[in-house]
Amino acid sequence: MWDQAADYKNVREIRVKTTTYLGVGAIDKIDDILAQLKSEGITSILCVCGGRSYKITGAWDKVEAAAQKHGVTLALYNRVTPNPTTDSVDEAAALGRSVNAGAVLAIGGGSPIDCGKSAAILLANPGKTGDDLYCFRFTPQAALPIIAINLTHGTGSEVNRFAVATVTKLNYKPAIAYDCIYPRFAIDDPALMTGLSPDQTRYVSIDAVNHVVEAATTTVTNPFAISLAAETIRLVHQWLPAALADPCDLKARYQLCYAAMQAGVAFDNGLLHFTHALEHPLSAVSPDLSHGLGLAVLLPAVILECYPARPDVLAHILAPLAPGLKGLPEEAPQAAKAVEQWLASVGVPQKLEDIGVTATDVDKFCDLVEQTPSLGLLISVAPVEGTRERVARIYNNSLKPMA
């Protein structure tokens, strides 16, 4: 369906950059990775983590053992919170400078990985701060080598050039994208993810679904992103219920991990648009809001707006969640409602009002969408014009369940 409408005269760039180790036991590859870095003269590494998961998953034990074996010093920054801030980026970079770090190892989900990527830029650009980076006061061309040990099946940050952080003083949560922050190596080990709570399991998997819905429908997408989108949604639809039923089901975790990795590559190729642009202000203002939950409450309304412009693509990739779509523009309400019902079926029925947002807040969030650096770029590649009226309509249509 979608391929019949593809513009074969439109030249697209296709990106696949990071060397990723995927599978149960992939954490053992950290030994080879540190040996490689040591052979290149890197003897000190900044490790960026959250407060607990790097330890309780067992990842840190493997990293410490490999570092001791190869004579590499580790400097641990373990204060990254969900929705990391530029303050955390500055603190991590300061620790890295104090030990003359030659590389950055991030262990965790999207927050530690994004913080680690950002610190890697600052360490290669002396005198710059996190605010400089996220307020776009300079354009980095270099960063220290980055290794990402991913502990969630959702972020995609371990395989792409993106990072986000909240500018503490302004409640802005912009995104950056630079070639210098592709991780050199990534580890996706499903055995490290069995401790995710049911809600974490839901939210990170929904993050992956959002990545591909947006990536497949931008004005700059390519066939690779669309193919990855269809497979990502198929895998999440099939395996998320299994992981919720049995958190230790390694086959289910593997498939969700693979889906999320594909989703990370998909949005590296196709970029993102409305759902992420409108969610970033929500989690900047409410740092305790899970990114995946924020995306979930917005997704059906985004599909309602975008489906008429990309009915062929969305009918194709949404088929597991919304079977029977024919790729007709008038199916938009049917597609949006089906996705909302799927979200509820996996335990995420919440809407904006359930997380404390009311109709009186919509103007404030529209302002933040307009004012936050980088979000205008995301909206500029949406398949429909990103007017303030449309942004407000998405927020308003996300306040309550669809009729």
Side-chain angles (χ1 to χ4, degrees):
M1 186 188 301
W2 72 269
D3 46 329
Q4 293 296 326
D7 183 359
Y8 59 89
K9 294 182 181 178
N10 205 344
V11 177
R12 297 298 194 195
E13 178 181 278
I14 293 178
R15 288 174 171 260
V16 185
K17 297 279 190 179
T18 299
T19 297
T20 306
Y21 298 104
L22 168 69
V24 173
I27 186 61
D28 292 330
K29 289 292 184 179
I30 192 61
D31 185 85
D32 295 338
I33 292 169
L34 293 192
Q36 175 65 33
L37 295 180
K38 181 63 180 295
S39 74
E40 297 169 10
I42 294 172
T43 58
S44 181
I45 295 176
L46 169 66
C47 298
V48 179
C49 317
R52 297 175 64 248
S53 60
Y54 75 102
K55 289 276 286 187
I56 62 178
T57 58
W60 182 247
D61 292 338
K62 295 283 188 176
V63 170
E64 273 197 313
Q68 290 172 5
K69 176 180 175 181
H70 297 291
V72 174
T73 300
L74 303 177
L76 177 63
Y77 179 81
N78 61 352
R79 297 177 57 191
V80 181
T81 59
N83 300 305
T85 67
T86 49
D87 290 342
S88 292
V89 172
D90 288 335
E91 290 173 2
L95 176 60
R97 281 191 290 271
S98 73
V99 297
N100 195 28
V104 175
L105 170 64
I107 309 174
S111 295
I113 295 173
D114 287 359
C115 185
K117 287 178 172 181
S118 306
I121 290 176
L122 299 190
L123 288 170
N125 293 271
K128 302 299 184 182
T129 68
D131 282 2
D132 291 335
L133 177 61
Y134 280 93
C135 290
F136 299 90
R137 296 176 189 141
F138 75 110
T139 301
Q141 302 297 320
L144 295 190
I146 299 161
I147 307 97
I149 299 176
N150 185 29
L151 300 183
T152 71
H153 43 72
T155 172
S157 189
E158 80 275 17
V159 291
N160 63 42
R161 62 196 150 119
F162 287 83
V164 297
T166 298
V167 180
T168 313
K169 303 177 184 68
L170 301 172
N171 276 341
Y172 289 171
K173 187 181 175 184
I176 59 172
Y178 299 112
D179 281 9
C180 61
I181 54 172
Y182 279 106
R184 184 170 170 188
F185 298 104
I187 290 174
D188 276 319
D189 189 332
L192 301 178
M193 304 178 191
T194 57
L196 291 171
S197 73
D199 276 347
Q200 289 172 318
T201 297
R202 293 179 178 100
Y203 298 155
V204 297
S205 301
I206 289 166
D207 190 10
V209 169
N210 275 272
H211 287 156
V212 298
V213 169
E214 294 170 80
T217 55
T218 66
T219 58
V220 296
T221 194
N222 63 43
F224 188 40
I226 295 171
S227 296
L228 292 173
E231 180 66 357
T232 295
I233 292 175
R234 183 189 73 80
L235 289 170
V236 172
H237 177 260
Q238 179 175 348
W239 293 101
L240 177 55
L244 292 171
D246 179 4
C248 293
D249 184 337
L250 289 176
K251 181 180 286 188
R253 294 287 184 187
Y254 176 91
Q255 299 295 356
L256 292 172
C257 196
Y258 181 47
M261 187 199 76
Q262 290 184 106
V265 176
F267 87 78
D268 197 34
N269 278 270
L271 304 184
L272 302 171
H273 55 77
F274 283 121
T275 321
H276 276 75
L278 273 64
E279 191 284 329
H280 281 193
L282 295 178
S283 52
V285 171
S286 303
D288 293 334
L289 174 66
S290 165
H291 176 58
L293 175 57
L295 294 171
V297 302
L298 296 167
L299 180 59
V302 170
I303 290 173
L304 183 65
E305 294 292 326
C306 295
Y307 192 94
R310 294 290 188 274
D312 47 359
V313 170
L314 284 168
H316 173 63
I317 68 173
L318 292 175
L321 314 184
L325 296 174
K326 296 180 174 60
L328 304 173
E330 58 267 27
E331 295 171 328
Q334 176 186 344
K337 186 63 178 177
V339 170
E340 187 176 72
Q341 290 172 339
W342 172 74
L343 289 165
S345 76
V346 295
V348 190
Q350 294 94 327
K351 305 304 292 183
L352 283 179
E353 287 189 346
D354 298 312
I355 61 174
V357 177
T358 68
T360 59
D361 297 319
V362 168
D363 271 347
K364 172 183 69 178
F365 287 118
C366 288
D367 289 342
L368 284 170
V369 169
E370 292 175 350
Q371 295 165 5
T372 301
S374 82
L375 299 190
L377 175 60
L378 297 185
I379 290 176
S380 74
V381 298
V384 291
E385 188 179 0
T387 62
R388 184 182 178 96
E389 292 73 21
R390 177 166 272 122
V391 168
R393 189 162 61 242
I394 292 171
Y395 279 128
N396 280 312
N397 286 338
S398 301
L399 289 168
K400 302 176 186 291
M402 292 184 167

